[in-house]
Amino acid sequence: QVQLVESGGGLVQAGGSLRLSCAASGLTFNTYALGWFRQAPGMEREFIGAISFRLTKTYLTDFAKGRFAISGDNAKNTAYLQMNDLKPEDTAVYYCAADNYGLGYRDEDLYLYWGQGTQVTVSS
């Protein structure tokens, strides 16, 4: 009964900030990683970054560096995606996903569990 619930999305003007949350349940403590992905209309899902609770390490893909940051609260089994200086091209559905390896892979096929997604819309 693994569950992932994203929250924190919404409508924001360009230049604004949002913090997304991913609350995980049903996963064994300190064994997994939570990845953040996004999918814009008509586009394939794109890896943003991940936090490995197993390795106590975060990862960010290049496009996210400088504006986005990933953090987590181990006690709450929650990952966060802080997004600053948002741009219209950031508009997408944002997903979190969990693997059972705890490594924070880029490949979405390696994530076994997915949340429902939360919409982020950035207006110009």
Side-chain angles (χ1 to χ4, degrees), residues 111-124:
Y111 289 82
L112 300 180
Y113 309 103
W114 292 81
Q116 81 289 347
T118 185
Q119 177 71 46
V120 171
T121 302
V122 184
S123 65
S124 60

Side-chain angles (χ1 to χ4, degrees), residues 19-22 34 36 51 53 69-73 76 78-82:
R19 189 175 77 158
L20 307 184
S21 298
C22 174
L34 295 178
W36 285 101
I51 179 167
F53 292 105
I70 290 172
S71 61
D73 186 332
K76 296 181 178 180
T78 299
Y80 304 98
L81 176 63
Q82 178 69 44

Side-chain angles (χ1 to χ4, degrees), residues 29-44:
F29 187 68
N30 281 347
T31 67
Y32 62 94
L34 295 178
W36 285 101
F37 298 81
R38 68 184 185 183
Q39 187 167 25
M43 304 293 288
E44 293 187 351

Side-chain angles (χ1 to χ4, degrees), residues 65-122:
K65 293 178 180 177
R67 295 192 298 124
F68 295 3
I70 290 172
S71 61
D73 186 332
N74 202 354
K76 296 181 178 180
N77 291 326
T78 299
Y80 304 98
L81 176 63
Q82 178 69 44
M83 302 187 292
N84 300 320
D85 191 25
L86 284 162
K87 305 178 186 300
E89 53 263 41
D90 296 318
T91 295
V93 177
Y94 285 70
Y95 298 91
C96 67
D99 68 26
N100 280 333
Y101 312 107
L103 301 180
Y105 299 106
R106 281 180 145 82
D107 190 343
E108 69 176 44
D109 291 337
L110 300 178
Y111 289 82
L112 300 180
Y113 309 103
W114 292 81
Q116 81 289 347
T118 185
Q119 177 71 46
V120 171
T121 302
V122 184

